[in-house]
Amino acid sequence: MNVVVCVKQIPDPAAPQSLDSEHRLDRSGKLILDEADTYGVEVALQLVEARGEGEVSLVSMGDATDVTGIRSALAMGALRATVVSDPLLRGADALTTAKVLAAAISREMPDLILCATESSDGYTGTLPVQLAQLLDWPALTFATSVVVEGDTVVVHRQTEDGFDEVGAQLPVVVTVTAGVVEPRYATFKGIMAAKSRPVNVVGIADLALDIAALDPRQDIVAVETAATKSAGEKYVDDGEGAARIVAFLEQIKIVSGGAS
C-alpha cells in the first residue's frame, strides 16, 4: 500500500510572527514541519507497518530553500518527498494549492492520501476536500482512527453523541485530527537516513500546469489591528447586585422591562 501524506513547512510558532511588505506571513525565517502534519505521517507509517508492505511518501508546496521540516518527516520513516516550489505560486490560495498538489500526487499513483484537517498557519480547512474533488476521490474527514481492511478504509469521526463509523473504497483522501496518535520521535538512525532520502523539487513546468489557468494570486489589500476589548465594568455587591443584573439585561434587550 502506497500512502502519500500532504505536509507543510511553516514559520516556527515559537518565534515572533510578522507580515511582509505584501501583508503576508513572513516566511523568511526558520521553517519547521507543521505539527498538525506529524499525526498524518504517524498514521501513514502505522498503516504501512500493519499491512506489511508499501511505502510512505510526502508531498508539499512552498519554498524549498530550506527543507529541514521535510527532513524531519523523513526521519520519522517516510521514504521520499516531492516539493513543488515555484516563484509563480507566491500568493497561491487554497484552491490553487490543491490543484498543484493534485498534479504532483497524480504522478505518485497512491492508494491513500492523508492530510491534517487544516494547517496551523492558514486555518482554511478547505484544501483536503478540494484535493479529493479534483482527484474525484471520496473524502473521509476528521478521523480519530483509521483502519484499512482489504480495499476499504474505515474511520471513526467524533461527534457530540459518540462517533460515526464511515468507510470508503480505496483510493481515498482522509484527514486526521490532532491527537489521533502519538507521533514517534525520530531516532538517530532515522535522522541519519533522512539525510540521504530524496527530496525532489519540481516547478510548474515539471507538472505541465498552465500558470495562467491557475491564476494563483490572492491579493491582501489591507491589514488592520484587531480592536482591543476594553475592560468590563465591575461592581461590588452592596445588596443591589440582582437589580443591577436585571437592569443590564434590560439594556441589552435580553429581558423586557418589568421582569422580576
Side-chain angles (χ1 to χ4, degrees):
M1 181 175 64
N2 294 330
V3 185
V4 164
V5 186
C6 294
V7 299
K8 186 177 186 182
Q9 294 192 132
I10 64 171
D12 187 351
Q17 305 296 305
S18 62
L19 302 178
D20 61 19
S21 60
E22 294 181 310
H23 307 303
R24 306 183 192 282
L25 184 62
D26 186 356
R27 301 177 185 274
S28 61
K30 178 184 178 182
L31 297 177
I32 65 171
L33 180 69
D34 191 336
E35 182 182 0
D37 294 328
T38 62
Y39 300 100
V41 174
E42 179 61 34
V43 169
L45 292 170
Q46 290 187 15
L47 290 174
V48 168
E49 289 165 357
R51 192 85 163 194
E53 55 84 22
E55 66 175 29
V56 176
S57 59
L58 314 171
V59 173
S60 184
M61 190 185 98
D63 187 3
T65 304
D66 181 0
V67 292
T68 303
I70 302 294
R71 293 284 180 198
S72 66
L74 293 173
M76 290 175 65
L79 295 182
R80 53 196 171 83
T82 298
V83 181
V84 184
S85 182
D86 198 309
L88 295 174
L89 291 172
R90 180 174 173 76
D93 59 14
L95 180 56
T96 298
T97 303
K99 290 178 179 178
V100 171
L101 293 179
I105 290 170
S106 295
R107 308 193 323 170
E108 300 286 331
M109 298 296 291
D111 303 297
L112 175 65
I113 299 172
L114 295 178
C115 307
T117 56
E118 59 188 359
S119 64
S120 300
D121 62 342
Y123 291 107
T124 68
T126 60
L127 187 145
V129 290
Q130 290 172 334
L131 180 61
Q133 179 68 28
L134 291 165
L135 294 171
D136 196 24
W137 289 13
L140 304 179
T141 57
F142 298 100
T144 57
S145 72
V146 184
V147 177
V148 178
E149 301 172 345
D151 293 330
T152 302
V153 178
V154 178
V155 308
H156 286 172
R157 180 190 295 126
Q158 191 70 43
T159 70
E160 291 182 357
D161 301 318
F163 62 83
D164 294 330
E165 185 175 278
V166 188
Q169 293 291 309
L170 294 172
V172 62
V173 176
V174 175
T175 70
V176 296
T177 59
V180 61
V181 289
E182 182 67 30
R184 67 192 66 187
Y185 288 102
T187 63
F188 178 76
K189 180 180 179 180
I191 294 171
M192 296 305 294
K195 294 181 179 181
S196 60
R197 286 176 178 157
V199 177
N200 185 27
V201 180
V202 299
I204 289 295
D206 300 305
L207 299 176
L209 290 172
D210 182 358
I211 189 64
L214 286 176
D215 190 21
R217 195 171 187 80
Q218 56 178 354
D219 294 319
I220 303 172
V221 297
V223 175
E224 297 181 7
T225 303
T228 303
K229 292 184 178 180
S230 58
E233 295 183 66
K234 295 181 180 180
Y235 295 100
V236 176
D237 188 3
D238 55 1
E240 300 295 326
R244 287 182 179 274
I245 292 173
V246 171
F248 174 73
L249 294 177
E250 289 177 349
Q251 179 185 349
I252 61 177
K253 303 188 184 305
I254 296 297
V255 299
S256 58
S260 60

